[in-house]
């Protein structure tokens, strides 16, 4: 090292320091050098201690050696002259590490203190995991064995670098290696994952992998441990390992890419990268309460931080608060002086924010509990700036001293070009008033979601009767005014109000379709509105709009009359109710006034058969069943219960509706006194497969089965109204609305999943069982091709069920091509990082798509449970926006009609009957038992 400016070091003897004595050998001034021992890999012989604040220039060992080799004679002269000038003589051939006079006090409980800002170029783990080391070995083996590959010895800047390759050529090589790697972005992410773990390294020691002409090499080549040329056995083993393990590396790529982005300085992140980070932040629980604009701000400044060792102290109690942290992986202990560990925080938790908000010292010490903890960090300067910006960009409208509407300024690049502000929260009436004034009459921009959010979610905070009252009040605002005496300006205002109400009705019908026409109050209001509009000569254009709405209403009512009251049946053998009512029309929607026939059992397994409309409450079903079964108890002493095939009991709320469709696959409805609940047991037939057509699945064309499954599932999906997602999330009893169509679609997912498991564990012959597994993998492939992702997920999850995955003999016989394909599919349905792999894949698809419905419901639940519906008496419209986003995803998936090329008409009727009613067992204990019988555990 060279001392740069007017500062001093003292040099002391190490031997004496071990005995707690120190002798100063000399003082170094500006221009002095020390530490030349790194050239010869000798241990430090002295300690260098700062005497004042110092500024230094440092040369790393490898660079120093490179310079020395190029200029050996000159460097020898420089080193000799420096020694003579500094007065070291022979004793200063080596010097020690630099230590400051002020020694940092270690934590009383932990030995290691982490830096505030770890080196971003450091790998996440100091030692690569065995899996990544093996993958690195396999990739290097194949690269070295290929004489035409990009991994070559190169001379760079006069220095000879062994076995290195440009990033662009590594990406191209990986694309050619396997068909599962489709894009350069995927390939770059995979190399980045290897680089993060230290398996791969940048020749110039830069951290991010770039698909550019930067040189990279394997760590084993850098440290000289790679060994000789690979043998033919090595190449064979490497090929075999690549086939099995490459999907796992592909799966790690997106996370590595995200971490790479988060390591970048804010100004270097592209718009595409910011969007990727923002999408990730949407699914972090600790941030769920923050507004969209704050999350977008965080996307540009939040950084990634990794710590390799458990026991690292992130910060100490009493320290200045400099950062807010969010745990991505791992756990930390919260330690307070005198109390010890008071809490353990895990993935998704955050900490350190209070000290920033209050500008106070840290209230606790944070100690890493696990190795390899990954965190997101927001530094104080950015945190304070965002809070200031949010407050500065917030507009509050008040009435009688209270907030009634809170708006937030939005950036132009986010697509709100027509508006400076978007709604954050407000009273229902004030939000409607703001909507009518700003989003109707051609003012709304194509990307502004406020109107659509309102229409899709108003039933949560503004039920239809209240909405109609407010619309009527706006339309008839001139009711108590003599228009002949009103000014021209006032008359224009009243006409504008009427126009906006009519336009609102038009957009309302367009957004939620038959849900408006199913509400008698809404229909009555539309018909009265039409009469009033036609009576206004100045509203000719609006009269045309309302006439079009009435035409749609008339067609809908005619269709309803043709399918007046449909009859459904819940068969006693547990079949799902999937369009088997005898109705030949496709896309049959289950309606609240449709009748359903079903059985209700009591504890001794006797039963009665009931017929009720779908919208009948559990309380009414309970009372009628108790009367028929002669259970002499008061209604308040009785319970209506589902008993699953596993024996689990679920009690229905008295105000629950669509009870029969809410059952699990093989569930049964029971009525029971409260004190006899424990006496309820499953029926014997609940442990055997549900009845289904006697068809040999293996004899059917796999593509034909996938085709008819997709058509059938599409009809079920089409029947689900977006509102049903809200009913399901908030609870049907809050709205007194049925969720039957959604129930049936979810039931279909479970039916397919358990059908796969049931068929496989019911097949005793090993060869036939292997053939069946292969056929199901092919079926999943065709469903994926048809974009029936709901069925695709169900099939793959069925194959991943423990009763199937444990059949090692079956999987061992499966051809490697199908094992590899299944590994890819497992990676696609992997739930880690909030189903990142699936979300990235489905985001590239165009409609029609049958989406993975359980994940959409999970998103709705996350938004609901992670955000309050009301904030300080105002509707939290940010939550409504999150709900509407998921509902829009459903609408987008079916924004185009499903059109598939039909297969051969052979066995068409047989296949249709087969796919409507699969044979299933949904009791996991029974399935595991059957699995053990067909393939006993190996001793």
């Amino acid at each position: 090292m060279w001392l740069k400016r007017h500062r001093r070091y003292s040099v002391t003897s190490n031997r004496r320091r071990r005995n707690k004595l120190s002798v100063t050998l000399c003082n170094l001034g500006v221009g002095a050098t020390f530490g030349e021992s790194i050239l010869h890999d000798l241990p430090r012989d002295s300690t260098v201690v700062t005497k004042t604040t110092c500024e230094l220039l440092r040369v790393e060992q490898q660079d120093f050696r490179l310079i020395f080799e190029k200029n050996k004679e000159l460097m020898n002269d420089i080193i000799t002259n420096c020694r003579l000038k500094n007065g070291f003589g022979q004793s200063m051939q080596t010097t020690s590490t630099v230590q400051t006079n002020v020694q940092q006090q270690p934590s009383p409980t932990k030995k290691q203190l982490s830096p505030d800002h770890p080196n971003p170029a450091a790998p996440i783990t100091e030692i690569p995991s065995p899996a990544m080391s093996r993958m690195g070995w396999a990739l290097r083996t194949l690269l070295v064995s290929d004489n035409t590959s990009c991994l070559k010895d190169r001379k760079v800047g006069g220095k000879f670098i062994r076995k290195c390759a440009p990033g662009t050529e590594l990406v191209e090589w990986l694309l050619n290696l396997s068909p599962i790697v489709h894009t350069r972005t995927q390939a770059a992410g995979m190399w980045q994952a290897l680089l993060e773990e230290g398996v791969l390294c940048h020749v110039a020691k830069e951290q991010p992998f770039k698909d550019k002409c930067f040189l990279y090499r394997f760590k084993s080549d850098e440290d000289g441990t790679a060994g000789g040329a690979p043998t033919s056995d090595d190449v064979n083993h490497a090929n075999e390992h690549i086939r099995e393990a490459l999907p796992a590396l592909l799966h790690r790529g997106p996370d590595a890419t995200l971490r790479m982005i988060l390591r970048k300085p804010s100004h270097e992140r592209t718009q595409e990268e910011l969007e990727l980070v923002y999408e990730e932040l949407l699914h972090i629980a600790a941030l769920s309460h923050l507004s969209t604009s704050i999350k977008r701000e965080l996307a540009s400044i939040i950084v990634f931080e990794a710590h390799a060792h458990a026991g690292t102290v992130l910060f100490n109690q009493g320290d200045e608060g400099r950062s807010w942290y969010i745990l991505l992986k791992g756990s930390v202990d919260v330690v307070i002086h005198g109390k010890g560990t008071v809490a353990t925080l895990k993935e998704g938790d955050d900490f350190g924010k209070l000290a920033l908000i209050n500008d106070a010292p840290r209230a606790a010490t944070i100690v890493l509990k696990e190795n390899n903890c990954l965190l997101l960090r927001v530094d104080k300067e950015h945190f304070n700036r965002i809070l200031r910006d949010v407050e500065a960009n917030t507009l509050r409208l008040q009435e009688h001293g209270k907030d009634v509407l809170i708006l937030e300024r939005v950036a132009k690049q986010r697509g709100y070009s027509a508006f400076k502000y978007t709604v954050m929260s407000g009273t229902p009436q004030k939000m409607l008033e703001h909507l009518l004034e700003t989003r109707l009459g051609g003012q709304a921009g194509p990307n502004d979601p406020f109107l659509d959010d309102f229409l899709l979610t108003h039933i949560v905070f503004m039920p239809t009767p209240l909405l109609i009252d407010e619309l009527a009040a706006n339309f008839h605002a001139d009711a108590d005014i003599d228009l002949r005496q009103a000014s021209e300006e006032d008359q224009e205002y009243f006409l504008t109000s009427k126009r906006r109400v009519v336009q609102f009705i038009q957009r309302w019908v367009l957004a939620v379709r038959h849900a408006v026409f199913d509400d008698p109050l809404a229909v009555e209001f539309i018909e009265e509105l039409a009469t009033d509009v036609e009576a206004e000569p100045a509203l000719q254009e609006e009269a045309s709009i309302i006439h079009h709405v009435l035409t749609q209403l008339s067609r809908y009512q005619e269709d309803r009359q043709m399918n007046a009251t449909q009859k459904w049946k819940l068969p006693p053998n547990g079949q799902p109710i999937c369009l088997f009512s005898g109705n030949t029309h496709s896309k049959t929607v289950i309606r609240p006034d449709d009748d359903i026939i079903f059985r209700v059992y009591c504890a001794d397994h006797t039963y009665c058969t009931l017929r009720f409309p779908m919208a009948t409450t559990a309380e009414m079903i309970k009372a009628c069943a108790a009367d028929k079964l002669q259970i002499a108890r008061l209604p308040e002493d009785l319970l209506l219960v589902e008993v699953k095939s596993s024996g689990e009991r679920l009690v229905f709320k008295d105000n629950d509706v669509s009870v029969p469709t809410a059952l699990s696959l093989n569930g049964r409805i029971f009525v029971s006194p409260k004190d006899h609940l424990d006496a309820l047991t499953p029926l014997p037939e609940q442990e055997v497969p549900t009845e289904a057509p006697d068809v040999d699945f293996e004899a059917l064309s796999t593509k034909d089965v996938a085709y008819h499954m997709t058509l059938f599932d599409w009809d079920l999906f089409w029947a689900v109204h977006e509102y049903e997602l809200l009913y399901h999330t908030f609870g049907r009893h809050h709205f007194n609305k049925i969720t039957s169509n959604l129930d049936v679609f979810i039931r279909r997912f479970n039916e397919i999943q358990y059908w796969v498991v049931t068929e496989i564990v019911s097949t005793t012959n090993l060869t036939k069982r292997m053939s069946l597994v292969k056929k199901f993998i092919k079926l999943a492939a065709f469903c994926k091709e048809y974009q029936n992702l709901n069925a695709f997920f169900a099939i793959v999850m069925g194959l991943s069920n423990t009763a199937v995955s444990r059949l090692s003999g079956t999987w061992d016989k499966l051809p490697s091509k199908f094992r590899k394909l299944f590994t890819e599919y497992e990676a696609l349905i992997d739930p880690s990082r909030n189903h990142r792999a699936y979300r990235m894949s489905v985001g590239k698809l165009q409609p029609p798509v049958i989406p993975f419905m359980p994940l959409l419901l999970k998103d709705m639940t996350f938004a609901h449970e992670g955000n309050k519906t009301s904030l300080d008496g105002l509707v939290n419209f940010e939550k409504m926006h999150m709900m509407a986003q998921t509902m829009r995803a459903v609408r987008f998936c079916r924004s185009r009609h499903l059109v598939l090329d039909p297969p051969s008409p052979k066995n068409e009727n047989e296949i249709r009957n087969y796919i409507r009613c699969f044979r299933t067992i949904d009791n996991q204990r029974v399935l595991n038992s059957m699995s053990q019988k067909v393939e006993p555990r190996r001793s």
Side-chain angles (χ1 to χ4, degrees):
M1 290 198 183
W2 281 266
L3 277 170
K4 186 180 176 185
R5 289 195 301 196
H6 57 275
R7 304 290 186 251
R8 290 193 173 275
Y9 270 67
S10 62
V11 182
T12 62
S13 168
N14 268 341
R15 300 186 193 90
R16 294 181 180 273
R17 286 184 64 84
R18 290 191 193 103
N19 296 319
K20 312 228 172 163
L21 296 171
S22 62
V23 175
T24 300
L25 300 177
C26 64
N27 292 322
L28 305 182
V30 175
T33 65
F34 52 92
E36 299 91 348
S37 60
I38 61 172
L39 189 60
H40 308 289
D41 282 330
L42 295 172
R44 303 293 193 185
D45 193 49
S46 300
T47 299
V48 179
V49 182
T50 58
K51 293 189 73 173
T52 61
T53 304
C54 294
E55 296 178 12
L56 304 108
L57 297 176
R58 189 182 72 221
V59 180
E60 297 292 343
Q61 184 184 42
Q62 62 185 30
D63 297 323
F64 190 65
R65 282 180 172 173
L66 183 61
I67 296 168
F68 185 86
E69 290 298 323
K70 285 183 179 179
N71 306 278
K72 186 174 288 186
E73 292 183 6
L74 177 61
M75 288 300 295
N76 278 330
D77 290 340
I78 291 172
I79 292 171
T80 302
N81 289 336
C82 287
R83 286 177 185 161
L84 293 172
K85 183 178 178 181
N86 295 336
F88 289 128
Q90 201 62 28
S91 65
M92 284 306 295
Q93 183 177 354
T94 60
T95 55
S96 69
T97 55
V98 177
Q99 296 183 350
T100 59
N101 280 327
V102 181
Q103 300 297 312
Q104 200 158 27
Q105 295 298 320
S107 164
T109 56
K110 301 293 176 181
K111 62 184 179 181
Q112 187 179 1
L113 185 68
S114 75
D116 286 340
H117 302 288
N119 177 13
I124 289 180
T125 55
E126 290 189 352
I127 301 174
S129 65
M132 293 298 272
S133 294
R134 181 73 173 167
M135 174 57 72
W137 169 84
L139 289 170
R140 183 190 176 279
T141 299
L142 296 182
L143 276 162
V144 172
S145 64
D146 182 358
N147 293 328
T148 62
S149 82
C150 52
L151 202 63
K152 299 174 182 176
D153 298 339
R154 301 169 193 266
K155 194 171 184 180
V156 182
K159 185 178 179 181
F160 189 67
I161 306 293
R162 287 186 54 79
K163 303 296 183 197
C164 59
T168 50
E169 294 184 25
L170 286 173
V171 166
E172 288 167 7
W173 181 82
L174 201 52
L175 284 168
N176 294 327
L177 178 68
S178 172
I180 71 169
V181 186
H182 301 294
T183 66
R184 299 189 73 88
T185 302
Q186 285 178 319
M190 295 162 76
W191 287 118
Q192 172 65 22
L194 290 164
L195 190 144
E196 274 191 345
E197 292 237 359
V199 174
L200 191 74
C201 58
H202 192 292
V203 168
K205 300 302 178 187
E206 292 184 15
Q207 171 63 10
F209 180 89
K210 296 181 180 179
D211 185 7
K212 296 183 179 179
C213 293
F214 295 113
L215 292 176
Y216 301 88
R217 59 178 169 174
F218 288 90
K219 185 69 175 177
S220 56
D221 287 314
E222 183 184 63
D223 57 25
T225 61
T231 65
S232 57
D233 284 343
D234 288 338
V235 174
N236 291 335
H237 289 315
N239 273 313
E240 185 176 346
H241 182 75
I242 289 292
R243 281 195 299 270
E244 295 179 357
L246 200 62
L249 181 61
L250 177 66
H251 178 62
R252 293 184 66 155
D255 283 345
T257 301
L258 178 69
R259 288 190 289 268
M260 178 189 72
I261 296 168
L262 292 170
R263 289 175 184 270
K264 288 184 177 183
S266 301
H267 64 276
E268 291 185 11
R269 297 178 189 177
T270 66
Q271 195 60 42
E272 184 181 352
E273 290 173 342
L274 289 174
E275 196 63 30
L276 186 65
V277 177
Y278 169 71
E279 290 293 331
E280 180 71 18
L281 299 184
L282 287 178
H283 304 292
I284 295 177
L287 305 178
S288 61
H289 66 288
L290 300 177
S291 70
T292 300
S293 59
I294 291 181
K295 287 173 189 167
R296 289 193 178 275
E297 286 281 340
L298 288 175
S300 66
I301 55 88
I302 203 163
V303 293
F304 174 76
E305 188 171 305
H307 296 277
H309 300 292
T312 299
V313 177
L314 205 59
F315 55 74
N316 279 299
Q317 185 174 346
D319 287 352
E320 177 191 355
R322 295 180 180 176
S323 300
W324 170 37
Y325 294 91
I326 300 160
L327 263 171
L328 280 181
K329 177 187 174 186
S331 59
V332 299
D333 284 332
V334 182
V335 182
I336 296 178
H337 294 328
K339 294 183 180 180
T341 301
V342 296
T344 297
L345 305 178
K346 298 183 178 177
E347 183 176 322
D349 292 333
D350 68 315
F351 55 90
K353 186 163 57 176
L354 198 60
L356 303 189
I357 293 173
N358 299 330
D359 201 20
R362 296 295 192 188
T365 297
I366 299 293
V367 184
L368 271 57
K369 192 172 183 179
E370 302 176 33
N371 290 335
N372 302 326
C373 286
L374 310 181
L375 305 103
L376 294 177
R377 188 185 79 233
V378 179
D379 294 328
K380 186 175 182 177
E381 57 180 305
H382 297 304
F383 182 85
N384 291 338
R385 177 182 60 77
I386 289 172
L387 287 183
R388 285 196 307 271
D389 289 349
V390 167
E391 192 58 37
N393 291 327
T394 299
L395 179 64
R396 298 174 182 272
L397 304 182
Q398 294 188 334
E399 290 181 358
H400 308 296
K402 293 184 178 180
D403 290 339
V404 292
L405 190 66
I406 299 178
L407 307 174
E408 186 178 67
R409 184 182 290 274
V410 291
K412 288 185 178 180
Q413 64 266 28
R414 286 174 52 193
Y416 295 87
S417 55
F419 304 100
K420 292 181 179 179
Y421 290 91
T422 187
V423 176
M424 303 297 292
S425 59
T427 63
Q429 293 82 358
K430 203 65 184 178
M431 287 194 298
L432 177 62
E433 179 184 318
H434 181 71
L435 184 154
L436 292 172
E437 289 178 355
T438 63
R439 263 61 175 184
L440 293 166
Q443 303 172 75
N447 297 318
D448 178 64
F450 175 48
L451 175 59
D452 204 46
D453 291 347
F454 188 98
L455 295 172
L456 288 173
T457 62
H458 76 84
I459 57 172
V460 174
F461 57 87
M462 196 176 199
T464 301
L466 178 59
L467 174 61
I468 288 171
D469 286 345
E470 291 296 322
L471 290 173
N474 274 273
F475 189 85
H476 299 293
D478 59 350
D480 299 326
I481 296 175
D482 186 352
L483 291 177
R484 291 171 299 180
Q485 298 180 2
S487 66
E488 187 176 329
E489 185 178 345
D490 286 342
Q491 290 182 22
E492 183 59 32
Y493 169 77
F494 293 132
L495 277 174
T496 301
S497 295
K498 294 176 189 293
R499 291 189 179 105
R500 287 171 176 168
V501 170
V502 173
Q503 291 161 10
F504 180 92
I505 295 295
Q506 181 190 31
R507 295 292 294 268
W508 189 21
V509 170
L510 185 66
V512 299
R513 306 187 317 279
H514 62 251
V516 180
F517 299 149
D518 277 338
D519 193 306
L521 282 175
V523 170
E524 183 182 353
F525 175 67
I526 291 171
E527 290 173 343
E528 290 176 355
L529 193 67
T531 303
D532 292 336
V533 168
E534 288 174 358
E536 287 270 7
L539 299 177
Q540 293 303 311
E541 187 176 339
E542 285 67 34
S544 175
I545 291 173
I546 205 72
H547 176 72
H548 181 67
V549 172
L550 286 175
T551 303
Q552 290 178 280
L553 172 62
S554 177
R555 288 175 184 167
Y556 177 76
Q557 290 175 336
E558 287 174 8
D559 290 342
R560 285 298 309 273
Q561 288 173 0
M562 288 177 61
N563 301 302
T565 300
Q566 299 174 114
K567 183 177 72 175
W568 304 83
K569 184 180 179 184
L570 190 65
N573 57 15
Q575 283 174 262
I577 53 164
C578 289
L579 304 182
F580 55 81
S581 65
N583 193 320
T584 56
H585 295 289
S586 63
K587 300 181 181 177
T588 307
V589 177
I590 302 174
R591 306 191 184 281
D593 52 357
D594 287 352
D595 283 347
I596 183 165
I597 301 169
F598 57 96
R599 289 181 178 181
V600 178
Y601 296 83
C602 59
D604 63 0
H605 293 179
T606 57
Y607 65 88
C608 64
T609 302
L610 302 178
R611 175 173 175 170
F612 276 112
M614 287 284 185
T616 304
T617 63
E619 184 178 26
M620 184 173 292
I621 294 172
K622 176 179 68 176
C624 185
D627 181 56
K628 283 200 171 189
L629 293 168
Q630 299 181 347
I631 301 175
R633 291 291 188 95
L634 294 172
E636 55 266 26
D637 292 332
L638 295 171
L639 296 173
L640 196 69
V641 185
E642 176 190 359
V643 178
K644 295 186 176 183
S645 60
S646 62
E648 182 184 356
R649 307 174 190 92
L650 297 177
V651 178
F652 290 101
K653 297 181 178 69
D654 279 351
N655 52 357
D656 272 341
V657 293
S658 55
V659 169
T661 59
L663 296 178
S664 59
L665 274 180
N666 220 344
R668 299 293 187 275
I669 304 174
F670 280 71
V671 63
S672 167
K674 291 181 180 178
D675 51 359
H676 290 177
L677 186 62
D678 292 340
L680 302 183
T681 57
L683 305 173
E685 57 264 31
Q686 285 183 263
E687 292 197 356
V688 299
T690 56
E691 291 184 10
D694 187 15
V695 176
D696 182 8
F697 171 55
E698 286 195 82
L700 302 177
S701 161
T702 310
K703 187 170 186 177
D704 289 2
V705 172
Y707 170 83
H708 288 289
M709 278 180 66
T710 300
L711 292 183
F712 184 68
D713 295 351
W714 176 258
D715 286 347
L716 297 180
F717 175 51
W718 185 92
V720 179
H721 193 279
E722 293 96 320
Y723 276 178
E724 291 189 65
L725 276 72
L726 286 175
Y727 304 151
H728 181 276
T729 303
F730 285 87
R732 294 165 296 171
H733 54 284
H734 289 304
F735 303 92
N736 195 31
K737 297 287 187 179
I738 69 168
T739 57
S740 296
N741 298 288
L742 180 59
D743 293 341
V744 170
F745 190 52
I746 297 170
R747 193 181 176 110
R748 176 65 171 179
F749 177 87
N750 294 327
E751 181 193 8
I752 295 172
Q753 181 182 351
Y754 283 109
W755 162 61
V756 172
V757 185
T758 303
E759 290 295 328
I760 291 172
V761 300
S762 300
T763 305
T764 56
N765 182 275
L766 177 60
T767 303
K768 286 187 177 180
R769 195 163 58 249
M770 180 277 295
S771 179
L772 195 58
V773 170
K774 187 167 72 170
K775 193 173 183 71
F776 277 125
I777 294 173
K778 288 171 66 178
L779 182 63
F782 282 121
C783 286
K784 182 172 179 285
E785 180 184 330
Y786 289 141
Q787 300 191 162
N788 184 356
L789 301 181
N790 201 60
F792 168 79
F793 259 77
I795 294 166
V796 178
M797 288 179 71
L799 290 167
S800 302
N801 186 285
T802 53
V804 177
S805 62
R806 64 163 298 277
L807 300 172
S808 54
T810 305
W811 289 98
D812 288 345
K813 285 183 69 69
L814 192 68
S816 60
K817 171 186 173 183
F818 286 92
R819 283 204 304 270
K820 177 183 173 184
L821 191 60
F822 180 66
T823 303
E824 289 178 36
Y825 291 166
E826 277 194 310
L828 186 58
I829 74 163
D830 180 40
S832 65
R833 305 307 295 269
N834 197 29
H835 286 277
R836 173 193 290 281
Y838 166 73
R839 292 182 191 277
M840 290 183 67
S841 176
V842 77
K844 300 171 185 175
L845 301 180
Q846 292 298 314
V849 177
I850 305 177
F852 176 38
M853 184 57 77
L855 182 58
L856 293 173
L857 294 176
K858 178 188 171 185
D859 289 345
M860 294 286 288
T861 303
F862 178 85
H864 175 48
E865 295 181 351
N867 301 273
K868 292 182 179 179
T869 304
S870 179
L871 297 172
D872 301 324
L874 304 179
V875 177
N876 179 8
F877 204 74
E878 275 285 293
K879 175 176 179 175
M880 299 304 117
H881 175 68
M882 294 170 71
M883 295 280 186
Q885 289 284 67
T886 304
M887 297 165 76
R888 268 192 289 273
V890 171
R891 189 167 64 188
F892 172 77
C893 286
R894 54 191 181 196
S895 57
R896 294 179 185 171
H897 294 292
L898 179 69
V899 179
L900 301 176
D901 293 331
S904 63
K906 183 182 177 183
N907 300 330
E908 187 173 354
N909 289 332
E910 186 180 31
I911 294 174
R912 281 180 178 173
N913 291 331
Y914 178 69
I915 58 98
R916 290 160 69 91
C917 189
F918 292 130
R919 184 173 67 119
T920 61
I921 297 173
D922 67 344
N923 186 330
Q924 191 63 48
R925 176 180 52 80
V926 173
L927 293 170
N928 288 342
S929 176
M930 294 172 67
S931 175
Q932 292 286 349
K933 287 180 181 177
V934 298
E935 202 169 305
R937 183 181 286 111
R938 296 174 181 176
S939 57

